[in-house]
Amino acid sequence: MDLITSVISLGFVAQVLRLMTPFYLGASAANFSERGGVINISVEGFMNLSAFSFAVISILTGNITAGFILAVLINLLFSIVFGYFTVSLKINQIVTGVGFNLFIAGLTKFLLVYIFSSSSNTPRFEGLPEFTLFSSIPFFGLFLTDYITLFCFLLIFISAYILFKTRFGLRLRSAGENPAAGESLGIKIRNYRYYGILICGFLSAMAGIWMASNQNSYSDGMIAGRGYIALAAMIIGKWKPVNIFFACLMFSAFEAFEISLQITGSDIPSQLIQMLPYFITILVLIGFIGKTKPPAADGVPY
Amino acid sequence: MNKKTLVNLISVTLSVLITVLIVFVFLLILGKDPFEIFGMIFSEVFADGYGIGQTLFKATPLIFISCGLAVCFHASLFNIGAEGQLNAGSFVIALTALKLDFLPVPLVTISSLIFGFIVSGFFGLIPAYIKIKKDVSEVITTIMMNFVILALVNYFLLDFFAVQSTMRTEKINEELMFLKISDVLPFFDGSTLNSSFILAILAAVLTYLFIYKTGFGYKLRSVGFNELASKYLGIRTNGVILISFFIGAGITAFAGMNYIFGYKGFYEFGFSNNIGFTAIAVTLLAKNNPIGIIFSSLLFAILDYGGLSVNQLIPKELMLVVQGIIILSLLAVDKIVSNYFKEKLI
């Protein structure tokens, strides 16, 4: 099969839509945090943490449900600590994010060797149950194969609704745009920043769990920059849920294309495809594709 | 000693102590004897010249990178792109040394270091330029640049310069290799410690003088402290940002000197092993002070080398956890301590 036919096929489109899951979940996670005014560059770390805890707990207990619930809880616990650092102690959010990334990377590497005596990966495990409702429907059955992907597509609408149509969303955005004004109206800004960070922890847990479940194991470095691509998608999507969806589609199309390249053995260098998401983000930031503007109080401690 | 230095010393000491405490509890939970493990680390590191030599060897690249980061951080430029910058520079150092080896030895060494510096510095100029022209935070651009640079280096290495089925360049001429310290001082026998370490110490001292004792260093710190006020003082802030990012990123290239000229003789993809991120922790622990960086690099190197010696008892990756805890506890303790002293002043 040559490259062109493999790319122009329904299977390829379905692949793109399915591979989008971790990108969109991660981007949406970062978006909720930044809408509340907290830059969270440790989405990468949080995805890594939840992929690890989901796989390890599922393997050790033999119970996927326990793995799922505990992975989410562990991420929420780390999110609270992240919130304590950035919101309560008002420590520089970027530095805290770098610190969390380093700490989580070290912790998962250590525990992987400690528990499984392997520096690369865990044994294989079952993964999340398949979602079979759509499996007989022609096109949708190809990519809506698990509950998290389904949730991810619903999230596009859910997150747009929450952010722009609910009281909670308005207050969360006020924490990110003009915290002083919000506070003067009686909104507990710090609480809302914590809520944003907690939602971020939950959604990045979904992304990490999907990764581990999709690969049926955890391997060191499996997130491979997807958390950063998610941040890039959020920026290119101008912090708007639907725009972020299209940015994620572009990035997952690159990934699917790269996989096609490897399968068909084409001589287009894969490194250059790998760097495209980051390169395009830089171009967007320079202003080639419209101007992006973060929430006004994004990154400013309050 | 002024009050600021005192507060800094207190918070650094406290956070290291807290880290030790957390790690002790962590080890007890895992059912290990923390005294045995820490005892082994120190006895291995300080037992003989070899242990000390290896530790200093591991500290060398950290000192270089952290000095570069300190220049950036003093100008309030949060450069997270050292991992990419240092790889680009190191790659070019090895290439220059390979391609120019018809020249006399000192000329080759000097020109490869200069080219490495310029290339790393160039990759620092890009985020700086985007920052001053488009007002985009250097944090995001440097993160993205890391991936771009690593992909580019990987592409050029594998497609043009690598030895068949490896991830490394060819070996440079043997005459170019730096002096091993053990050839002069037999005390360090067997260790890979080389004259790069002396250059690293020199770099730290020079960076200290540059930041604290020169006119440009004053401007740089002023821009870092308050960009707007500096502008009103007549400092050309954009120029300062560009130059500090160029110099800061440029210095990170020298991390490759230790590996290429001092140890292996070639550039290998992945040699840096995320040291560009570790250096961020080292720099923060040293409070951006280049002299402090020598000591915090040594601490991280002791953990790194010591981790190898306890690998029988507990995976050496424990030291990565320790490094993570150090940085997080430093951030928290720092804030709490400085809040405490501010309240006392009023």
Side-chain angles (χ1 to χ4, degrees), chain B residues 23 25 34 68 76 183 186 193 212 220 228 243 259 263 267-268 305 344:
Chain B
V23 175
V25 173
S76 270
D183 292 347
L193 183 66
Y212 292 102
L220 180 157
L228 202 60
I243 295 172
Y259 190 82
Y263 179 36
Y267 169 84
E268 185 165 26
Y305 178 68
K344 268 208 131 174

Side-chain angles (χ1 to χ4, degrees), chain A residues 85 89-90 114 271 278 286, chain B residues 30 134 147 154 328 335:
Chain A
F85 272 64
L89 287 178
K90 298 183 192 173
Y114 186 75
Q271 302 99 326
Y278 309 104
I286 298 175
Chain B
L30 295 178
K134 298 287 174 182
F147 291 96
N154 189 287
L328 290 181
K335 202 74 184 183

Side-chain angles (χ1 to χ4, degrees), chain B residues 85-322:
Chain B
Q85 290 148 15
L86 79 92
N87 269 288
S90 305
F91 181 46
V92 169
I93 287 179
L95 284 188
T96 320
L98 280 170
K99 300 291 166 196
L100 292 185
D101 66 353
F102 53 86
L103 293 172
V105 170
L107 218 58
V108 183
T109 313
I110 290 169
S111 52
S112 10
L113 292 180
I114 289 176
F115 280 130
F117 182 90
I118 290 175
V119 168
S120 285
F122 167 76
F123 283 112
L125 277 182
I126 296 175
Y129 181 80
I130 297 176
K131 182 184 171 73
I132 59 178
K133 284 294 170 194
K134 298 287 174 182
D135 198 23
V136 174
S137 156
E138 72 283 3
V139 172
I140 297 295
T141 31
T142 48
I143 290 177
M144 301 299 151
M145 289 293 294
N146 272 337
F147 291 96
V148 173
I149 298 171
L150 289 175
L152 281 177
V153 169
N154 189 287
Y155 169 68
F156 283 109
L157 178 65
L158 292 189
D159 278 36
F160 300 104
F161 299 107
V163 175
Q164 195 72 40
S165 73
T166 62
M167 301 275 273
R168 63 177 183 84
T169 63
E170 280 170 47
K171 248 183 132 138
I172 59 170
N173 201 333
E174 197 61 39
E175 287 165 13
L176 290 170
M177 296 301 282
F178 281 5
L179 179 73
K180 284 223 171 359
I181 303 282
S182 56
D183 292 347
V184 187
L185 300 169
F187 173 68
F188 292 112
D189 202 23
S191 92
T192 45
L193 183 66
N194 56 78
S195 36
S196 304
F197 177 72
I198 297 161
L199 293 177
I201 300 290
L202 190 68
V205 174
L206 287 177
T207 312
Y208 177 85
L209 295 175
F210 172 69
I211 292 174
Y212 292 102
K213 305 289 174 196
T214 64
F216 186 81
Y218 170 77
K219 287 182 192 167
L220 180 157
R221 284 180 292 132
S222 159
V223 170
F225 193 67
N226 189 334
E227 197 183 327
L228 202 60
S230 314
K231 205 172 250 173
Y232 281 101
L233 267 177
I235 296 174
R236 284 211 293 256
T237 54
N238 283 352
V240 172
I241 289 175
L242 280 173
I243 295 172
S244 358
F245 227 128
F246 179 73
I247 295 176
I251 299 174
T252 65
F254 298 149
M257 185 203 299
N258 190 42
Y259 190 82
I260 298 165
F261 288 131
Y263 179 36
K264 291 280 196 187
F266 51 75
Y267 169 84
E268 185 165 26
F269 192 74
F271 89 95
S272 55
N273 196 14
N274 283 340
I275 199 175
F277 294 101
T278 313
I280 296 176
V282 170
T283 316
L284 291 175
L285 188 63
K287 299 289 179 181
N288 301 343
N289 182 322
I291 304 301
I293 282 171
I294 299 175
F295 294 100
S296 57
S297 298
L298 284 176
L299 175 67
F300 273 59
I302 289 173
L303 291 177
D304 198 4
Y305 178 68
L308 295 173
S309 63
V310 290
N311 208 9
Q312 299 290 335
L313 289 174
I314 193 151
K316 60 178 186 305
E317 284 79 3
L318 174 71
M319 296 309 148
L320 298 174
V321 183
V322 178

